[in-house]
Amino acid sequence: MDIFQAYWSHGELVANGIILLHLLGSLLTGVLLGYERSYQGRAAGMRTYGLVCMASTALTVIVAYPHLWYGGAAAGWSGSADPTRVIQGIVTGLGFLGAGVIMRESHSIRGLSTASSIWTTAAIGVTIGIGFYVAALAATALTIVAMVGLRRLEPILPHRTVTHLTVVFTRDKAPPAESIQVLARERGFEVVDWGYHLMNGAGQIEYKLALKTSGSPDTSRMVTELSATDGVMELHMTPSRI
């Protein structure tokens, strides 16, 4: 029973409390940094930045308390028994697993939040293995709050959305590129980039525009107007979000 009580000793609880403060501060810091990316309509947002920052803190701060690892049992170990080597292997292996769940679909990148949550789960597992149970439970709760709460909070906060528009016209009926840009601006979009492709074999002209707007835009009106334009062969309008 003494070994189990050692995991809940006064020194262990104090260290867990300090680790918890580190985790909370790093999560808030990551969320603030991620909001800037989320506001700009980038793929990695508040959840990704918050979880990565918190996981990095968890893997770093536990190294400050080697005398409390495994309920203090590690205090008398020789230098050859070093759990940090195992932690390095876990972090390296998780990099490959996280990369496997990140997918690019058209102009959107998906899976970043899943990858960061997997990495955070590994950090929580390491914290449990070391014996900091209170900090691990707190990190689990913070992760759930970040994954569920921030998902609902991000659309409410002021943000920008990048939308990619592709329109293919028959060559003889293609309007000037400037007219497409004017139509986008009249519908509240800012044209941040554009290009065109003349497909000689098919006798078609393809216009590609990157549009930015505040909030979540209503693209239905613009799609309706463009699809009714004479000469339109294809039309694609996709948001570039998580």
PDB file of all heavy atoms in Angstrom, residues 218-238:
ATOM      1  N   ASP A 218     -22.332  33.732 -47.519  1.00  0.00           N
ATOM      2  CA  ASP A 218     -23.442  33.078 -48.212  1.00  0.00           C
ATOM      3  C   ASP A 218     -23.106  33.067 -49.701  1.00  0.00           C
ATOM      4  O   ASP A 218     -23.211  34.089 -50.382  1.00  0.00           O
ATOM      5  CB  ASP A 218     -24.743  33.821 -47.942  1.00  0.00           C
ATOM      6  CG  ASP A 218     -25.937  33.159 -48.635  1.00  0.00           C
ATOM      7  OD1 ASP A 218     -25.770  32.023 -49.139  1.00  0.00           O
ATOM      8  OD2 ASP A 218     -27.018  33.777 -48.672  1.00  0.00           O
ATOM      9  N   THR A 219     -22.664  31.926 -50.171  1.00  0.00           N
ATOM     10  CA  THR A 219     -22.200  31.834 -51.557  1.00  0.00           C
ATOM     11  C   THR A 219     -23.302  31.443 -52.529  1.00  0.00           C
ATOM     12  O   THR A 219     -23.062  31.402 -53.742  1.00  0.00           O
ATOM     13  CB  THR A 219     -21.067  30.781 -51.653  1.00  0.00           C
ATOM     14  OG1 THR A 219     -21.566  29.514 -51.202  1.00  0.00           O
ATOM     15  CG2 THR A 219     -19.880  31.186 -50.780  1.00  0.00           C
ATOM     16  N   SER A 220     -24.495  31.163 -52.023  1.00  0.00           N
ATOM     17  CA  SER A 220     -25.555  30.651 -52.892  1.00  0.00           C
ATOM     18  C   SER A 220     -25.931  31.651 -53.985  1.00  0.00           C
ATOM     19  O   SER A 220     -26.165  31.270 -55.141  1.00  0.00           O
ATOM     20  CB  SER A 220     -26.783  30.290 -52.051  1.00  0.00           C
ATOM     21  OG  SER A 220     -27.253  31.422 -51.330  1.00  0.00           O
ATOM     22  N   ARG A 221     -26.002  32.923 -53.633  1.00  0.00           N
ATOM     23  CA  ARG A 221     -26.411  33.931 -54.615  1.00  0.00           C
ATOM     24  C   ARG A 221     -25.394  34.046 -55.739  1.00  0.00           C
ATOM     25  O   ARG A 221     -25.766  34.116 -56.923  1.00  0.00           O
ATOM     26  CB  ARG A 221     -26.588  35.288 -53.930  1.00  0.00           C
ATOM     27  CG  ARG A 221     -27.078  36.384 -54.859  1.00  0.00           C
ATOM     28  CD  ARG A 221     -27.279  37.682 -54.103  1.00  0.00           C
ATOM     29  NE  ARG A 221     -27.683  38.766 -54.988  1.00  0.00           N
ATOM     30  CZ  ARG A 221     -27.837  40.029 -54.595  1.00  0.00           C
ATOM     31  NH1 ARG A 221     -27.642  40.356 -53.312  1.00  0.00           N
ATOM     32  NH2 ARG A 221     -28.187  40.949 -55.453  1.00  0.00           N
ATOM     33  N   MET A 222     -24.117  34.031 -55.368  1.00  0.00           N
ATOM     34  CA  MET A 222     -23.069  34.145 -56.382  1.00  0.00           C
ATOM     35  C   MET A 222     -23.025  32.911 -57.262  1.00  0.00           C
ATOM     36  O   MET A 222     -22.847  33.000 -58.488  1.00  0.00           O
ATOM     37  CB  MET A 222     -21.719  34.360 -55.699  1.00  0.00           C
ATOM     38  CG  MET A 222     -20.585  34.662 -56.665  1.00  0.00           C
ATOM     39  SD  MET A 222     -19.098  35.178 -55.812  1.00  0.00           S
ATOM     40  CE  MET A 222     -17.984  35.377 -57.204  1.00  0.00           C
ATOM     41  N   VAL A 223     -23.218  31.752 -56.690  1.00  0.00           N
ATOM     42  CA  VAL A 223     -23.245  30.512 -57.463  1.00  0.00           C
ATOM     43  C   VAL A 223     -24.416  30.520 -58.432  1.00  0.00           C
ATOM     44  O   VAL A 223     -24.284  30.109 -59.598  1.00  0.00           O
ATOM     45  CB  VAL A 223     -23.321  29.296 -56.518  1.00  0.00           C
ATOM     46  CG1 VAL A 223     -23.608  28.025 -57.302  1.00  0.00           C
ATOM     47  CG2 VAL A 223     -22.030  29.141 -55.731  1.00  0.00           C
ATOM     48  N   THR A 224     -25.569  31.007 -57.968  1.00  0.00           N
ATOM     49  CA  THR A 224     -26.753  31.056 -58.828  1.00  0.00           C
ATOM     50  C   THR A 224     -26.531  31.972 -60.019  1.00  0.00           C
ATOM     51  O   THR A 224     -26.871  31.623 -61.163  1.00  0.00           O
ATOM     52  CB  THR A 224     -27.971  31.534 -58.019  1.00  0.00           C
ATOM     53  OG1 THR A 224     -28.205  30.635 -56.930  1.00  0.00           O
ATOM     54  CG2 THR A 224     -29.208  31.594 -58.895  1.00  0.00           C
ATOM     55  N   GLU A 225     -25.931  33.135 -59.773  1.00  0.00           N
ATOM     56  CA  GLU A 225     -25.706  34.089 -60.858  1.00  0.00           C
ATOM     57  C   GLU A 225     -24.683  33.554 -61.856  1.00  0.00           C
ATOM     58  O   GLU A 225     -24.860  33.698 -63.079  1.00  0.00           O
ATOM     59  CB  GLU A 225     -25.243  35.425 -60.281  1.00  0.00           C
ATOM     60  CG  GLU A 225     -26.314  36.143 -59.463  1.00  0.00           C
ATOM     61  CD  GLU A 225     -25.841  37.499 -58.979  1.00  0.00           C
ATOM     62  OE1 GLU A 225     -24.784  37.958 -59.455  1.00  0.00           O
ATOM     63  OE2 GLU A 225     -26.527  38.098 -58.133  1.00  0.00           O
ATOM     64  N   LEU A 226     -23.612  32.952 -61.350  1.00  0.00           N
ATOM     65  CA  LEU A 226     -22.585  32.447 -62.256  1.00  0.00           C
ATOM     66  C   LEU A 226     -23.084  31.250 -63.063  1.00  0.00           C
ATOM     67  O   LEU A 226     -22.794  31.132 -64.259  1.00  0.00           O
ATOM     68  CB  LEU A 226     -21.335  32.056 -61.458  1.00  0.00           C
ATOM     69  CG  LEU A 226     -20.468  33.210 -60.959  1.00  0.00           C
ATOM     70  CD1 LEU A 226     -19.349  32.685 -60.069  1.00  0.00           C
ATOM     71  CD2 LEU A 226     -19.870  33.994 -62.125  1.00  0.00           C
ATOM     72  N   SER A 227     -23.835  30.364 -62.420  1.00  0.00           N
ATOM     73  CA  SER A 227     -24.318  29.182 -63.131  1.00  0.00           C
ATOM     74  C   SER A 227     -25.321  29.542 -64.225  1.00  0.00           C
ATOM     75  O   SER A 227     -25.485  28.794 -65.194  1.00  0.00           O
ATOM     76  CB  SER A 227     -24.957  28.203 -62.140  1.00  0.00           C
ATOM     77  OG  SER A 227     -26.046  28.824 -61.459  1.00  0.00           O
ATOM     78  N   ALA A 228     -25.981  30.691 -64.060  1.00  0.00           N
ATOM     79  CA  ALA A 228     -26.940  31.132 -65.080  1.00  0.00           C
ATOM     80  C   ALA A 228     -26.273  31.906 -66.210  1.00  0.00           C
ATOM     81  O   ALA A 228     -26.930  32.248 -67.204  1.00  0.00           O
ATOM     82  CB  ALA A 228     -28.025  31.999 -64.433  1.00  0.00           C
ATOM     83  N   THR A 229     -24.984  32.182 -66.089  1.00  0.00           N
ATOM     84  CA  THR A 229     -24.270  32.927 -67.121  1.00  0.00           C
ATOM     85  C   THR A 229     -24.084  32.064 -68.369  1.00  0.00           C
ATOM     86  O   THR A 229     -23.747  30.877 -68.278  1.00  0.00           O
ATOM     87  CB  THR A 229     -22.894  33.391 -66.601  1.00  0.00           C
ATOM     88  OG1 THR A 229     -23.081  34.162 -65.410  1.00  0.00           O
ATOM     89  CG2 THR A 229     -22.175  34.241 -67.643  1.00  0.00           C
ATOM     90  N   ASP A 230     -24.296  32.658 -69.490  1.00  0.00           N
ATOM     91  CA  ASP A 230     -24.175  31.930 -70.745  1.00  0.00           C
ATOM     92  C   ASP A 230     -22.721  31.516 -70.969  1.00  0.00           C
ATOM     93  O   ASP A 230     -21.795  32.313 -70.790  1.00  0.00           O
ATOM     94  CB  ASP A 230     -24.641  32.822 -71.897  1.00  0.00           C
ATOM     95  CG  ASP A 230     -24.754  32.055 -73.214  1.00  0.00           C
ATOM     96  OD1 ASP A 230     -24.932  30.825 -73.153  1.00  0.00           O
ATOM     97  OD2 ASP A 230     -24.648  32.689 -74.276  1.00  0.00           O
ATOM     98  N   GLY A 231     -22.521  30.268 -71.345  1.00  0.00           N
ATOM     99  CA  GLY A 231     -21.181  29.781 -71.649  1.00  0.00           C
ATOM    100  C   GLY A 231     -20.502  29.054 -70.520  1.00  0.00           C
ATOM    101  O   GLY A 231     -19.389  28.532 -70.707  1.00  0.00           O
ATOM    102  N   VAL A 232     -21.124  28.974 -69.340  1.00  0.00           N
ATOM    103  CA  VAL A 232     -20.502  28.285 -68.200  1.00  0.00           C
ATOM    104  C   VAL A 232     -20.579  26.773 -68.415  1.00  0.00           C
ATOM    105  O   VAL A 232     -21.650  26.219 -68.634  1.00  0.00           O
ATOM    106  CB  VAL A 232     -21.192  28.678 -66.875  1.00  0.00           C
ATOM    107  CG1 VAL A 232     -20.671  27.809 -65.736  1.00  0.00           C
ATOM    108  CG2 VAL A 232     -20.945  30.134 -66.575  1.00  0.00           C
ATOM    109  N   MET A 233     -19.414  26.111 -68.342  1.00  0.00           N
ATOM    110  CA  MET A 233     -19.341  24.657 -68.488  1.00  0.00           C
ATOM    111  C   MET A 233     -19.218  23.954 -67.135  1.00  0.00           C
ATOM    112  O   MET A 233     -19.848  22.936 -66.895  1.00  0.00           O
ATOM    113  CB  MET A 233     -18.129  24.295 -69.365  1.00  0.00           C
ATOM    114  CG  MET A 233     -18.165  24.919 -70.753  1.00  0.00           C
ATOM    115  SD  MET A 233     -19.529  24.273 -71.758  1.00  0.00           S
ATOM    116  CE  MET A 233     -19.020  22.584 -71.936  1.00  0.00           C
ATOM    117  N   GLU A 234     -18.396  24.518 -66.239  1.00  0.00           N
ATOM    118  CA  GLU A 234     -18.186  23.952 -64.910  1.00  0.00           C
ATOM    119  C   GLU A 234     -18.071  25.085 -63.905  1.00  0.00           C
ATOM    120  O   GLU A 234     -17.654  26.199 -64.238  1.00  0.00           O
ATOM    121  CB  GLU A 234     -16.912  23.087 -64.861  1.00  0.00           C
ATOM    122  CG  GLU A 234     -16.971  21.820 -65.684  1.00  0.00           C
ATOM    123  CD  GLU A 234     -15.713  20.984 -65.520  1.00  0.00           C
ATOM    124  OE1 GLU A 234     -15.022  21.143 -64.486  1.00  0.00           O
ATOM    125  OE2 GLU A 234     -15.419  20.181 -66.417  1.00  0.00           O
ATOM    126  N   LEU A 235     -18.432  24.758 -62.643  1.00  0.00           N
ATOM    127  CA  LEU A 235     -18.360  25.753 -61.572  1.00  0.00           C
ATOM    128  C   LEU A 235     -18.027  25.035 -60.263  1.00  0.00           C
ATOM    129  O   LEU A 235     -18.719  24.092 -59.882  1.00  0.00           O
ATOM    130  CB  LEU A 235     -19.689  26.509 -61.443  1.00  0.00           C
ATOM    131  CG  LEU A 235     -19.819  27.481 -60.263  1.00  0.00           C
ATOM    132  CD1 LEU A 235     -18.806  28.612 -60.388  1.00  0.00           C
ATOM    133  CD2 LEU A 235     -21.237  28.049 -60.188  1.00  0.00           C
ATOM    134  N   HIS A 236     -16.970  25.468 -59.613  1.00  0.00           N
ATOM    135  CA  HIS A 236     -16.575  24.918 -58.321  1.00  0.00           C
ATOM    136  C   HIS A 236     -16.328  26.075 -57.365  1.00  0.00           C
ATOM    137  O   HIS A 236     -15.606  27.020 -57.689  1.00  0.00           O
ATOM    138  CB  HIS A 236     -15.299  24.078 -58.424  1.00  0.00           C
ATOM    139  CG  HIS A 236     -15.364  22.987 -59.437  1.00  0.00           C
ATOM    140  ND1 HIS A 236     -15.942  21.758 -59.166  1.00  0.00           N
ATOM    141  CD2 HIS A 236     -14.935  22.916 -60.725  1.00  0.00           C
ATOM    142  CE1 HIS A 236     -15.861  20.991 -60.232  1.00  0.00           C
ATOM    143  NE2 HIS A 236     -15.259  21.671 -61.201  1.00  0.00           N
ATOM    144  N   MET A 237     -16.916  25.992 -56.174  1.00  0.00           N
ATOM    145  CA  MET A 237     -16.716  27.021 -55.140  1.00  0.00           C
ATOM    146  C   MET A 237     -16.585  26.304 -53.798  1.00  0.00           C
ATOM    147  O   MET A 237     -17.570  25.762 -53.282  1.00  0.00           O
ATOM    148  CB  MET A 237     -17.881  28.004 -55.124  1.00  0.00           C
ATOM    149  CG  MET A 237     -17.566  29.297 -54.401  1.00  0.00           C
ATOM    150  SD  MET A 237     -18.834  30.571 -54.689  1.00  0.00           S
ATOM    151  CE  MET A 237     -18.009  32.015 -53.995  1.00  0.00           C
ATOM    152  N   THR A 238     -15.380  26.266 -53.247  1.00  0.00           N
ATOM    153  CA  THR A 238     -15.122  25.508 -52.036  1.00  0.00           C
ATOM    154  C   THR A 238     -14.404  26.369 -51.015  1.00  0.00           C
ATOM    155  O   THR A 238     -13.448  27.083 -51.362  1.00  0.00           O
ATOM    156  CB  THR A 238     -14.270  24.274 -52.341  1.00  0.00           C
ATOM    157  OG1 THR A 238     -13.038  24.689 -52.977  1.00  0.00           O
ATOM    158  CG2 THR A 238     -15.001  23.306 -53.247  1.00  0.00           C
TER     159      THR A 238
END
